[in-house]
Amino acid sequence: MFSGKATKPTFKCYLPSAQTDVTKTIETPIKKLEPKLLPGEIVVNEANFVRKCISTESSQDDLWGKLICTNFKVSFIPQDAPLKQKSQLSHLLLGEHDIPLTCLDQVVTVNDTKGKKKVLGLNQKLKFNPTELILYCKDLRIVRFCFDEAGPESAKKVCLAIAHYSHPADLQLLFGFEYQGRRYHESKGERVNGSTPRGGLRTPIFDRPSDWDREIKRTGASEWRVCSINEGYAISASLPEHIVVPVSLADLDLKQYSSYFTDGRIPLWCWNHSNGSALVRTASLLDPSQQKKIDQRIFTAITKSHPQCSEVIKSDLDKCLPHIQDIQSAFVKIRQICVLDHFEESEERWLSTIENSRWLEYIRAFLKQSAEMVYLLDGKNASVILQEEEDRDLNCVVSSLVQLMLDPHYRSLIGFQSLVQKEWVMAGHRFLDRCNHLKKSDKEESPLFTLFLDCVWQMMNQYPAAFEFTEAYLTILSDSMWNPLFSTFLFTSPKQRTQFLNDFAKNKAIPQGEDQTAFFPPVWEWSQQFSIKDQTLFNNPMYVGKGAACVQNGEVKTFRRTKQKSYTVRGMLTLQRNGLKVEEDVFPRRGSLASELKPDFSPVKDESPSERFFRDWFSRPVDQQGLLIPLLMPSHVALWKLFFLRWVPEACIPKGGSITAYHKLSQLVDEIEILQNQLRQYKGPSPRSTPLPSPSGPPSDQRRMYFKASSPDDPSTPPDFLTSSFPFTPVGNLCRRSLHGTPISKFLNGARIWLSTETLANDTV
């Protein structure tokens, strides 16, 4: 079939890239297939004449090319590269057919002739020659390669190389350390006086007192202060070096109290309400016999920080929410249903099967718990302490959701990123273990951050104008967990981050005192991953920002932040009020108007304060820049389709899905902004205004919307490349039947059956 003879394959490990160009040893009439390598990236093994499967029904659309394993990724280079699809996001550091090694969940080899299958791990042997390689990815992709024409030995060795390098023995072996070291020295010319100063509209990292000071000032927490008793991680390895504590607590007292808490995690301030109540998180006490004494001192200090000396209520999340392994189990089940199971065989019961996975139930549980805390902070004017045994998992989710519901700042792009940085990264969430980057312990793995992003999407789905960012942004942020080139999701704690990056700086001859974000940047540096054009996919055209104008009854009005009311479902809340344990039914009773979500919000007999709170909130128009509370009945909590179904060809709807509305709205907003610019130019500058841009408006690459305003001659229908998976594409992912998609009649039939048998029954419970 091919004219040349190949030399005997050898396993190439960490050789300079010039020595790994196997195309020099093969004389063939085909073009050379050269991989695009990043600084520090090297090829460790490869196989030629590999087929990437596009469809299981026919191989006519399959791609032939070279399969490569580097110290960073699995890369497939097609022999005849198809034209770049407009429907696909263009990543600056990853190609269309690239998969980071940290994104691999399972590496499965198959021999069809012998009927054998094996999941490859670290240092495992392969006793048969594989005819297929199936890669199960943590971003839910499934990619299949066939070795019909590849040599059996080269196929076996590239499979073993992928398995080996996807199980790094140590964190420092992740490619990000090599890449960022090279990138830092190659970009010296871009820095000012050898360093990169922080400035402009950038996401705060909360690794310095000034970031916390700004947050204290922004929230009006005048009775709280920045404390540096953990400098050098003297009292806790998992807390940041700088924390916020009540003004009335002295450093000496805090050091003494730290010995009573798990890992020294003393109560940590999160946020302040405008009414003076505070949101605080803490770990459990090591010695329960000291509970009353320590609680009394902490509660007294927090009470003093409140202008009205309001009460303090503690909520034990370990007793209210599912265990992290239950969350992992639910995620495995919903992934099985959405990605692995046959999509066609279970259409009629598909939605009820999703419900039985318990994933949506857990989403509701976290949203419900967060709404309960919102009621205490906003409705009862009480300060709240969130308690979890280690304060590094459940507390991250709930504290973030509470702030997202209460504070519109965190619903802006920069604000949301600062929330993740503050409540997850610097608060010590174990990303290394929960993401299982080193694949050492499945018992520690749990998708807490994915669950949080799903909760955020539920709120976005219900209040689409309240968030500056899009679901595409949330999905890309989730995918970034599996990219080892950035520091945000790599470490278990701030201390580990500091230690590894200090060692990294020494090994790479980086000047002492250099800002860590300069030589190992966080994921928030999106310009390193995406073009300016692609970053506009993050922008929500419906967003009602602070001070945005709207028209009501012919009058232009401005949105103002007002105190809003909240809603949640019935539940018993285990609390401690000023040190005393109590149980309080703070939410609507069964049959109440608030719990049944009836359109009639008339008063109820024996209405509790909480029910009145919810009724008042729902009786008013929603303020997009005020308090937001999600609807929590089963029919209101939906499957996040873009995240779970984007790679499933059978579920892809051409010119369908929410992207069609996004497309039209983006064009409309872009046209409005152009007209506004032209109107300002027509009226002329006011005496105090800044110089105006040109009448034609800003250049196309500087406009906020991904889809630009169309001309009158453009067709009104969505472009052909738009699908429900946009900006992703399911082409090339494992599928079990044709790509014609699911008939809409069957989908609606399944939805109707599920609604009649499942949702409506649950809504009455």
Side-chain angles (χ1 to χ4, degrees):
M1 182 174 179
F2 295 96
S3 59
K5 292 185 179 180
T7 59
K8 185 177 180 181
T10 59
F11 187 87
K12 302 171 183 63
C13 179
Y14 285 95
L15 296 176
S17 56
Q19 295 177 261
T20 60
D21 187 3
V22 298
T23 56
K24 293 180 181 178
T25 65
I26 303 178
E27 296 177 7
T28 67
I30 62 174
K31 66 178 182 180
K32 292 182 179 181
L33 303 181
E34 301 286 354
K36 292 183 179 180
L37 302 178
L38 297 176
E41 185 179 8
I42 53 177
V43 174
V44 296
N45 214 289
E46 56 194 14
N48 285 288
F49 317 131
V50 177
R51 178 164 58 92
K52 182 178 181 179
C53 302
I54 303 299
S55 171
T56 55
E57 290 187 344
S58 170
S59 62
Q60 63 181 3
D61 295 325
D62 292 352
L63 299 175
W64 289 86
K66 179 189 288 186
L67 181 63
I68 293 174
C69 175
T70 76
N71 55 341
F72 167 47
K73 63 179 182 276
V74 177
S75 184
F76 178 77
I77 309 174
Q79 172 62 35
D80 298 311
L83 294 175
K84 179 67 179 176
Q85 300 184 45
K86 292 183 179 179
S87 61
Q88 193 165 5
L89 196 67
S90 180
H91 202 291
L92 299 179
L93 303 177
L94 289 165
E96 182 180 354
H97 302 281
D98 293 348
I99 306 170
L101 293 171
T102 45
C103 189
L104 295 180
D105 191 31
Q106 282 190 337
V107 179
V108 179
T109 51
V110 180
N111 186 301
D112 284 336
T113 57
K114 296 183 179 180
K116 292 184 177 181
K117 180 185 290 188
K118 183 170 184 177
V119 179
L120 291 179
L122 182 63
N123 298 326
Q124 287 189 338
K125 295 182 179 180
L126 190 58
K127 296 182 180 179
F128 59 84
N129 293 324
T131 58
E132 289 184 14
L133 171 67
I134 304 177
L135 301 178
Y136 294 88
C137 305
K138 292 183 178 181
D139 63 2
L140 307 187
R141 279 183 290 176
I142 305 175
V143 186
R144 178 168 162 250
F145 300 98
C146 291
F147 301 112
D148 313 70
E149 303 296 334
E153 281 300 312
S154 63
K156 179 187 289 188
K157 288 183 176 180
V158 77
C159 291
L160 289 172
I162 292 171
H164 177 79
Y165 286 96
S166 64
H167 290 75
D170 187 78
L171 180 61
Q172 288 180 321
L173 294 179
L174 292 178
F175 177 67
F177 289 90
E178 180 65 27
Y179 167 72
Q180 293 296 356
R182 298 284 188 97
R183 186 198 63 83
Y184 174 84
H185 288 292
E186 290 177 6
S187 62
K188 280 183 178 178
E190 301 173 9
R191 294 191 293 275
V192 180
N193 296 327
S195 64
T196 306
R198 296 187 193 177
L201 192 62
R202 299 187 65 178
T203 301
I205 304 299
F206 293 99
D207 59 349
R208 54 188 63 187
S210 58
D211 290 341
W212 291 103
D213 278 327
R214 278 190 292 270
E215 190 69 2
I216 289 173
K217 184 178 180 180
R218 189 188 68 81
T219 59
S222 57
E223 295 300 315
W224 296 79
R225 65 180 178 91
V226 180
C227 170
S228 300
I229 60 169
N230 197 39
E231 214 161 13
Y233 306 98
I235 65 170
S236 175
S238 58
L239 282 178
E241 289 190 280
H242 312 286
I243 60 176
V244 178
V245 299
V247 169
S248 60
L249 282 179
D251 286 1
L252 193 60
D253 293 332
L254 289 168
K255 289 180 180 179
Q256 179 185 351
Y257 298 158
S258 66
S259 60
Y260 294 106
F261 289 90
T262 302
D263 193 29
R265 291 184 68 94
I266 56 177
L268 174 67
W269 176 87
C270 303
W271 181 81
N272 243 58
H273 195 288
S274 57
N275 63 21
S277 57
L279 179 66
V280 180
R281 56 188 290 179
T282 185
S284 299
L285 290 174
L286 295 170
D287 184 2
S289 65
Q290 300 292 326
Q291 183 85 46
K292 187 174 181 180
K293 181 180 73 173
I294 299 300
D295 276 351
Q296 186 175 10
R297 295 178 182 178
I298 298 295
F299 281 34
T300 299
I302 296 176
T303 300
K304 288 181 180 179
S305 70
H306 196 290
Q308 287 83 41
C309 294
S310 186
E311 64 182 335
V312 179
I313 299 176
K314 180 190 288 185
S315 178
D316 190 343
L317 298 189
D318 288 319
K319 297 178 180 179
C320 307
L321 293 170
H323 190 270
I324 62 170
Q325 286 308 311
D326 294 330
I327 296 169
Q328 171 69 2
S329 176
F331 183 75
V332 169
K333 290 177 183 176
I334 199 169
R335 179 178 60 186
Q336 179 77 27
I337 296 164
C338 292
V339 181
L340 303 177
D341 286 348
H342 290 259
F343 197 76
E344 183 179 22
E345 293 178 358
S346 59
E347 278 180 352
E348 293 185 352
R349 299 190 60 188
W350 189 72
L351 292 172
S352 60
T353 308
I354 290 288
E355 186 69 24
N356 292 336
S357 72
R358 305 193 73 180
W359 177 258
L360 296 182
E361 176 188 330
Y362 292 157
I363 295 290
R364 289 177 61 208
F366 276 91
L367 288 171
K368 171 182 178 292
Q369 182 68 29
S370 302
E372 292 174 353
M373 300 302 101
V374 166
Y375 163 66
L376 298 174
L377 286 158
D378 190 76
K380 298 195 71 173
N381 197 18
S383 292
V384 171
I385 300 177
L386 302 176
Q387 178 177 292
E388 183 193 3
E389 183 179 357
E390 293 188 346
D391 181 33
R392 302 175 72 179
D393 292 306
L394 307 181
N395 272 1
C396 296
V397 182
V398 175
S399 65
S400 300
L401 289 176
V402 169
Q403 293 172 70
L404 200 70
M405 293 175 188
L406 285 164
D407 193 339
H409 168 70
Y410 295 125
R411 303 196 285 267
S412 68
L413 182 63
I414 293 293
F416 182 76
Q417 293 179 169
S418 71
L419 179 67
V420 173
Q421 188 70 31
K422 175 168 68 83
E423 297 299 328
W424 291 81
V425 180
M426 297 310 292
H429 180 65
R430 291 190 176 95
F431 280 108
L432 182 64
D433 299 330
R434 299 296 178 250
C435 296
N436 203 10
H437 287 317
L438 302 183
K439 299 179 177 64
K440 288 187 175 181
S441 175
D442 292 341
K443 294 180 180 179
E444 295 292 326
E445 187 173 359
S446 185
L448 271 301
F449 191 67
T450 301
L451 179 137
F452 164 66
L453 295 180
D454 200 331
C455 290
V456 176
W457 178 82
Q458 301 293 337
M459 295 185 62
M460 290 174 60
N461 191 42
Q462 296 179 21
Y463 303 103
F467 294 82
E468 186 181 17
F469 45 89
T470 61
E471 65 171 328
Y473 165 80
L474 291 180
T475 310
I476 292 167
L477 180 58
S478 172
D479 291 346
S480 298
M481 281 193 291
W482 320 119
N483 188 336
L485 303 183
F486 303 93
S487 63
T488 305
F489 302 120
L490 284 188
F491 304 104
T492 60
S493 66
K495 180 180 181 180
Q496 186 192 50
R497 174 181 179 270
T498 300
Q499 288 178 336
F500 271 84
L501 294 190
N502 285 342
D503 292 343
F504 165 73
K506 292 178 183 177
N507 294 335
K508 299 298 180 181
I510 295 172
Q512 188 175 4
E514 175 66 282
D515 191 341
Q516 291 180 347
T517 62
F519 60 79
F520 211 130
V523 74
W524 319 125
E525 303 287 343
W526 293 112
S527 59
Q528 293 195 26
Q529 297 188 66
F530 302 104
S531 66
I532 295 175
K533 162 75 171 174
D534 281 345
Q535 287 180 64
T536 58
L537 282 169
F538 298 173
N539 299 331
N540 177 14
M542 291 185 287
Y543 176 58
V544 179
K546 190 174 183 180
C550 70
V551 178
Q552 292 182 359
N553 300 326
E555 296 182 5
V556 178
K557 299 185 177 182
T558 302
F559 287 103
R560 293 190 303 270
R561 180 178 177 180
T562 59
K563 185 175 179 181
Q564 278 280 13
K565 304 303 177 183
S566 60
Y567 154 76
T568 186
V569 296
R570 176 178 180 268
M572 294 299 296
L573 188 60
T574 302
L575 308 168
Q576 273 195 322
R577 179 179 288 114
N578 291 342
L580 300 176
K581 181 181 286 188
V582 295
E583 284 194 344
E584 181 175 308
D585 190 1
V586 294
F587 299 102
R589 297 182 296 275
R590 182 180 300 182
S592 70
L593 293 181
S595 66
E596 292 293 339
L597 271 182
K598 300 294 185 183
D600 178 17
F601 292 103
S602 56
V604 189
K605 185 179 180 180
D606 301 326
E607 185 179 48
S608 69
S610 61
E611 289 174 319
R612 191 179 310 115
F613 183 84
F614 309 140
R615 178 173 57 81
D616 288 347
W617 193 85
F618 273 105
S619 67
R620 301 171 184 172
V622 175
D623 179 4
Q624 305 292 343
Q625 284 292 301
L627 172 63
L628 294 183
I629 298 297
L631 303 173
L632 297 176
M633 302 306 288
S635 55
H636 296 134
V637 178
L639 178 72
W640 185 9
K641 294 185 180 68
L642 183 64
F643 177 80
F644 285 105
L645 300 178
R646 57 186 160 143
W647 308 121
V648 182
E650 301 93 324
C652 184
I653 306 172
K655 296 187 179 181
S658 60
I659 188 60
T660 54
Y662 178 83
H663 169 253
K664 287 296 183 186
L665 286 167
S666 297
Q667 289 184 317
L668 181 60
V669 169
D670 188 58
E671 185 173 4
I672 290 172
E673 291 179 349
I674 291 175
L675 292 173
Q676 287 175 335
N677 182 77
Q678 292 174 344
L679 184 61
R680 286 194 299 267
Q681 185 70 18
Y682 173 76
K683 289 182 176 180
S686 61
R688 295 186 225 174
S689 65
T690 55
L692 291 169
S694 63
S696 60
S700 177
D701 61 350
Q702 293 181 17
R703 280 145 68 178
R704 288 194 313 118
M705 293 295 108
Y706 184 82
F707 296 106
K708 305 299 186 287
S710 57
S711 68
D713 299 329
D714 291 340
S716 58
T717 58
D720 292 336
F721 63 80
L722 279 190
T723 71
S724 56
S725 294
F726 184 88
F728 311 95
T729 175
V731 175
N733 282 275
L734 186 66
C735 59
R736 297 171 176 80
R737 60 185 178 88
S738 65
L739 304 182
H740 299 306
T742 302
I744 191 66
S745 59
K746 288 189 176 182
F747 179 83
L748 292 176
N749 184 48
R752 183 170 62 252
I753 292 173
W754 180 75
L755 281 171
S756 62
T757 59
E758 299 284 340
T759 310
L760 300 182
N762 289 337
D763 281 1
T764 61
V765 175

